[in-house]
């Protein structure tokens, strides 16, 4: 190889470069295809995805009460809000909100607030579901890990969390049942 | 002082060595390898960390034979190891406290390198390999802590994996991929177990490279000047094997004290509560060896934005993650940030003090990382974080320019011997190998 290429014309070199580069490019693409199943095997499996939808009976939740259900391994807060809580959430000044969202955007029916109970900072479960819990400065939820305060619509008001508590996809099947996911 | 060349008399050794020269290699690297004769006990911490790695691998394999990586059985299987498995309590306490003492030894090893300038030319790659080992150790320790499936396991894993959600655009997909689901759950526990088993062997591989790179350029020493001749060095065996062996005896005393008298002193009591995805413990803290980095993560409580426009460039959450990983990156870049040609802090009158302030600052970060992230603690964490980066990014490049180092001795031997690097005194030239 080395001897034959020495005396030849320079065009041959660019042809060699092209062949090397195209071979290498093909090898990279091939390796990518070969490694993808390994990487993709770490994504959620079919049985994990199958648990992605659940139905919840909310008829027993009285005004002022809240329940926590497990959905996709995460806690979901379902709160039957009082008139005062709804009023407090609706009058909030948009300029005060780090992540502005109206109360209407966060609920289907104002009485029912449904949210993923995971702090948007680093994934702790905020307090505020139980009777005696610390509810933070805005009477909603308070994350004990790094001190994020959420209001009665689950919106971030103070603390390190970047956004409001996530509202999952859900529909009312009838007055007493909702479907998550 | 030089070691005699190998002279194998055992016929089996000769036979093997002529076909695969392992004995010649061992003689060269662990008998004859010239060590500067002035190395103090801080040079024993590398050997100690090698010993802990071996202990961790052996106890870890034994534990894995009795551990069940499933969310329904993991906690119970660890309790079974503690109560029913023969010597299980010993193996687990050795492994658990081995992690603590591993980080103690390695942190001292790193500070030794920072004090004596062991990262400077030609030892930059040696330093970088050390940083790779540190990062691998952190990943391994983090995943190992998840395996007992206690409350701190679960919530520590939740907080740390959620760091990746700070990455713009693809963050959430990456977190789902890391979890293998929509929260920390059985798939996560399984993969952490697989990786926790794998990574120590990767560490072992990088340690071999670390030692190989060391043996190419040779060991640094407290004066920071290179050995001028064989008068400045002693053979690794018996001088360093004896010295390291003595140091390891002390090290094992501390380790044994932890294992037998204070096995849970450095752990968190909440990890003896089984993991509950519905209840977050009131106060999540990582293990002590991560507290300094945890403090840096939490210190960034503000968004970085373009002044007067309100356009946020880096949200606080992403900023914290960048600062935490940046803390390791600046450590890796030390060989290029430090502009001083003088290695040892003993000859650098200004750096000497700033080194000890850095040590103190790390202690403050470690302390504040264990406090709640409120009020004055946030201010302390922010000041300490600022100083950490100030040390590496401003002081190290600047000091080399303004500092006048003390005069260096002509050789390693000069400060201690009137002959200044001449032959060793009679007592030191005895040949212990001849006694055999």
């Amino acid at each position: 190889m080395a001897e034959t290429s020495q005396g030849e014309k320079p065009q041959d070199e660019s042809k060699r470069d092209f062949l090397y580069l195209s071979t290498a490019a093909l090898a990279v693409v091939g390796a990518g295809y070969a490694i993808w199943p390994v990487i993709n095997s770490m994504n959620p499996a079919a049985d994990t995805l199958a648990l992605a939808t659940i139905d919840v009976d909310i008829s027993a939740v009285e005004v002022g009460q809240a329940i926590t259900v497990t959905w996709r391994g995460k806690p979901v807060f379902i709160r039957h809000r009082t008139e005062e809580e709804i009023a407090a959430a609706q009058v909030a000044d948009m300029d005060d909100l780090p992540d502005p969202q109206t109360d209407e955007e966060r609920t289907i029916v104002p009485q029912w607030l449904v949210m993923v109970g995971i702090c948007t900072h680093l994934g702790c479960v905020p307090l505020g579901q139980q009777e005696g819990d610390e509810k933070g400065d805005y009477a909603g939820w308070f994350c004990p890990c790094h001190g994020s305060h959420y209001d009665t619509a689950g919106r971030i008001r103070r603390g390190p969390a970047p956004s409001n508590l996530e509202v999952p996809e859900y529909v009312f099947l009838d007055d007493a049942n909702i479907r998550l996911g | 002082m030089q070691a005699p060349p190998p002279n194998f008399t055992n016929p089996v050794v000769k036979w093997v060595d002529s076909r695969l020269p392992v004995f010649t290699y061992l003689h060269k690297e662990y008998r004859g390898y010239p060590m500067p004769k002035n190395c103090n006990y801080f040079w024993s911490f590398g050997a100690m960390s090698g010993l802990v790695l071996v202990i961790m691998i052996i106890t870890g394999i034994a534990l894995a034979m009795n551990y069940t990586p499933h969310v329904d059985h993991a906690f119970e299987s660890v309790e079974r190891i503690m109560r029913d498995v023969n010597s299980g309590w010993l193996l687990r306490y050795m492994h658990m406290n081995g992690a603590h003492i591993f980080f103690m030894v390695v942190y001292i090893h790193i500070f030794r390198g920072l004090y004596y300038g062991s990262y400077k030319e030609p030892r930059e790659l040696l330093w970088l390999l050390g940083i790779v080992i540190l990062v691998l150790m952190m990943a391994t320790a983090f995943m190992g802590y998840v395996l007992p499936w206690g409350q701190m396991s679960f919530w520590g894993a939740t907080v740390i994996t959620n760091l990746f959600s700070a990455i713009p655009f693809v963050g959430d997909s990456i977190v789902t991929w890391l979890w293998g689901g929509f929260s920390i759950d059985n798939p996560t526990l399984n993969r952490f177990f697989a990786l926790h088993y794998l990574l120590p062997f990767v560490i072992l591989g990088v340690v071999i490279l670390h030692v190989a790179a060391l043996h190419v350029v040779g060991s640094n020493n407290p004066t920071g000047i290179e050995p001028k001749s064989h008068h400045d060095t002693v053979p690794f065996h018996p001088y360093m094997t004896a010295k390291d062996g003595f140091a390891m005896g002390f090290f094992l005393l501390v380790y044994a004290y932890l294992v037998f008298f204070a096995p849970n002193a450095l752990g968190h009591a909440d990890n003896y509560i089984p993991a509950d995805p519905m209840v977050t413990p009131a106060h999540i803290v990582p293990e002590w060896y991560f507290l300094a980095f945890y403090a840096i993560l939490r210190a960034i409580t503000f968004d970085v934005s373009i002044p007067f426009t309100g356009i946020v460039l880096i949200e606080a959450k992403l900023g914290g993650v960048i600062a935490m990983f940046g803390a390791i990156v600046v450590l890796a870049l030390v060989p290029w940030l430090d502009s001083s040609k003088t290695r040892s802090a003993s000859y650098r009158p200004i750096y000497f003090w700033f080194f000890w302030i850095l040590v103190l600052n790390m202690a403050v970060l470690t302390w504040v990382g264990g406090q709640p992230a409120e009020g004055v603690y946030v201010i302390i964490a922010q000041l300490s974080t600022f100083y950490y980066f100030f040390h590496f990014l401003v002081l190290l490049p600047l000091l080399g320019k303004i500092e006048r180092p003390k005069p260096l001795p002509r050789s390693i031997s000069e400060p201690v011997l009137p002959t200044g690097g001449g032959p060793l005194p009679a007592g030191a030239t005895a040949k212990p190998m001849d006694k055999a």
Side-chain angles (χ1 to χ4, degrees):
Chain A
M1 272 300 281
E3 287 95 308
T4 53
S5 63
Q6 240 163 20
E8 291 184 14
K9 292 166 193 148
Q11 296 96 291
D12 198 38
E13 292 217 352
S14 64
K15 183 176 155 193
R16 286 284 132 196
D17 286 350
F18 173 76
L19 286 173
Y20 282 136
L21 284 173
S22 51
T23 310
L26 195 68
V28 167
V29 171
Y33 268 100
I35 202 79
W36 173 247
V38 179
I39 293 169
N40 195 30
S41 75
M42 289 173 71
N43 270 320
D47 62 332
T48 310
L49 292 171
L51 299 174
T53 305
I54 59 162
D55 294 344
V56 186
D57 180 0
I58 52 172
S59 55
V61 186
E62 301 291 334
V63 174
Q65 285 187 335
I67 56 167
T68 306
V69 296
T70 309
W71 173 66
R72 295 182 174 180
K74 297 188 257 199
V76 170
F77 294 169
I78 301 174
R79 182 164 191 87
H80 198 167
R81 295 193 293 181
T82 61
E83 289 301 323
E84 298 84 67
E85 285 169 347
I86 298 168
Q90 285 175 342
V91 299
D93 186 354
M94 285 297 126
D95 291 342
D96 285 350
L97 299 173
D99 181 13
Q101 255 187 329
T102 64
D103 193 52
E104 288 73 35
E105 286 170 335
R106 295 182 55 78
T107 51
I108 296 175
V109 205
Q111 285 75 18
W112 292 100
L113 180 63
V114 180
M115 312 178 294
V116 176
I118 289 188
C119 181
T120 53
H121 180 227
L122 290 173
C124 298
V125 179
L127 300 172
Q129 286 292 90
Q130 303 292 325
E131 236 358 81
D133 278 357
E134 153 126 51
K135 286 170 182 285
D137 294 352
Y138 295 86
W141 286 265
F142 171 71
C143 183
C145 292
H146 306 101
S148 292
H149 299 255
Y150 296 93
D151 66 11
T152 54
R155 291 172 296 202
I156 179 67
R157 301 301 286 264
R158 200 158 71 75
S163 53
N164 304 333
L165 291 176
E166 186 197 341
V167 176
E169 275 182 45
Y170 68 97
V171 288
F172 278 86
L173 299 173
D174 51 57
D175 282 351
N177 286 287
I178 61 170
R179 171 169 289 169
L180 287 164
Chain B
M1 186 176 167
Q2 281 167 316
N7 178 25
F8 305 118
T9 48
N10 185 317
V12 178
V13 170
K14 268 187 173 170
W15 187 89
V16 172
D17 200 67
S18 58
R19 284 156 182 82
L20 182 68
V22 280
F23 296 101
T24 300
Y25 166 80
L26 286 174
H27 181 95
K28 180 169 172 284
E29 303 299 342
Y30 295 100
R31 166 78 177 94
Y33 173 66
M35 279 291 288
K37 63 184 179 185
N38 57 337
C39 283
N40 56 35
Y41 276 111
F42 283 108
W43 265 262
S44 295
F45 283 80
M48 283 181 209
S49 51
L51 176 68
V52 199
L53 178 62
V54 171
I55 292 174
M56 292 302 274
I57 289 177
I58 292 170
T59 54
I61 290 171
L63 287 169
M65 292 178 188
N66 282 297
Y67 170 77
T68 312
H70 188 284
V71 289
D72 295 337
H73 306 293
F75 189 88
E76 284 164 35
S77 75
V78 172
E79 286 307 303
R80 185 179 156 269
I81 289 170
M82 292 301 291
R83 290 147 204 257
D84 294 342
V85 175
N86 299 329
S87 308
W89 62 273
L90 178 63
L91 292 170
R92 174 158 175 272
Y93 277 159
M94 282 179 75
H95 200 72
M96 223 173 98
N97 288 286
H100 292 298
I101 207 146
F102 204 170
F103 276 97
M104 285 180 209
V105 165
V106 162
Y107 283 164
I108 294 173
H109 187 64
I110 292 170
F111 275 123
R112 191 284 318 260
L114 286 173
Y115 182 90
Y116 292 112
S118 299
Y119 47 82
K120 291 183 191 181
E121 202 211 338
R123 297 185 181 83
E124 304 97 322
L125 193 58
L126 180 60
W127 177 262
L128 280 182
L129 287 166
I131 298 293
V132 171
I133 295 170
L134 176 65
V135 171
L136 286 170
M137 272 178 67
M138 288 175 152
T140 310
F142 161 68
M143 288 192 255
Y145 193 63
V146 177
L147 302 184
W149 209 243
Q151 272 290 64
M152 279 295 160
S153 299
F154 183 91
W155 291 102
T158 298
V159 169
I160 300 301
T161 50
N162 263 309
L163 295 181
F164 293 91
S165 70
I167 301 168
F169 310 116
V170 293
D172 288 331
S173 310
I174 287 178
V175 173
T176 304
W177 176 73
L178 286 173
W179 287 342
F182 303 103
S183 59
I184 298 267
D185 210 334
N186 204 44
T188 328
L189 180 60
N190 271 281
R191 65 190 55 183
F192 278 16
F193 181 53
L195 292 172
H196 184 72
Y197 205 112
L198 167 74
L199 286 184
F201 297 97
V202 179
I203 293 177
L204 188 64
V206 186
V207 166
I208 290 170
L209 292 178
H210 189 64
V211 174
L214 171 70
H215 282 217
V216 170
V217 292
S219 300
N220 187 28
N221 66 79
T223 62
I225 51 178
E226 295 292 329
K228 295 281 192 297
S229 72
H230 67 265
H231 294 302
D232 287 340
T233 63
V234 289
F236 190 82
H237 180 78
Y239 292 93
M240 285 303 137
T241 44
K243 188 166 185 167
D244 285 349
F246 186 68
M248 275 182 210
F250 268 94
F251 156 76
L252 287 172
L253 278 179
V254 177
Y255 185 23
Y257 174 80
L258 282 175
V259 169
F260 293 110
F261 295 99
N264 292 304
L266 296 169
H268 198 294
D270 276 9
N271 221 29
Y272 284 103
I273 303 169
D276 183 350
M278 295 295 125
V279 180
T280 307
H283 190 43
I284 299 181
V285 276
E287 297 279 82
W288 68 269
Y289 41 81
F290 289 142
L291 286 176
F293 299 100
Y294 193 56
I296 292 175
L297 166 77
R298 297 192 305 179
I300 312 299
T301 53
F302 45 86
D303 295 340
V304 177
S305 45
I306 302 170
F308 311 116
T309 59
I311 299 170
V312 175
L313 292 177
I314 302 169
E315 283 187 340
K317 183 168 150 184
L318 180 61
V321 174
I322 291 172
M324 187 178 71
F325 286 106
I328 307 267
V329 172
V330 292
L331 200 59
L333 294 178
V334 159
W336 297 276
L337 290 171
D338 189 343
S339 58
S340 174
K341 294 279 175 246
T342 309
R343 288 200 189 111
S344 172
S346 303
Y347 298 95
R348 298 185 60 190
I350 306 179
Y351 174 73
F352 175 86
W353 290 108
F354 282 116
F355 169 82
W356 286 110
I357 293 173
L358 179 74
V359 174
L360 188 71
N361 190 56
M362 286 306 280
V364 170
L365 280 172
T366 300
W367 165 74
V368 82
Q371 304 300 322
E374 298 160 3
V376 68
Y377 298 122
V378 177
I379 311 287
I380 296 172
Q382 286 172 342
L383 289 174
S384 286
T385 299
F386 171 79
Y387 185 79
Y388 180 90
F389 286 99
F390 181 76
H391 176 94
F392 288 107
L393 297 176
V394 178
L395 285 177
L396 279 190
L398 194 67
L399 282 181
K401 306 263 191 285
I402 59 172
E403 181 183 55
R404 176 185 288 191
K406 293 179 191 168
L408 289 170
R410 276 185 294 114
S411 74
I412 287 173
S413 301
E414 192 198 47
V416 283
L417 292 178
T419 51
L424 285 170
T429 53
K431 293 176 191 152
M433 284 305 279
D434 293 352
K435 290 179 204 154

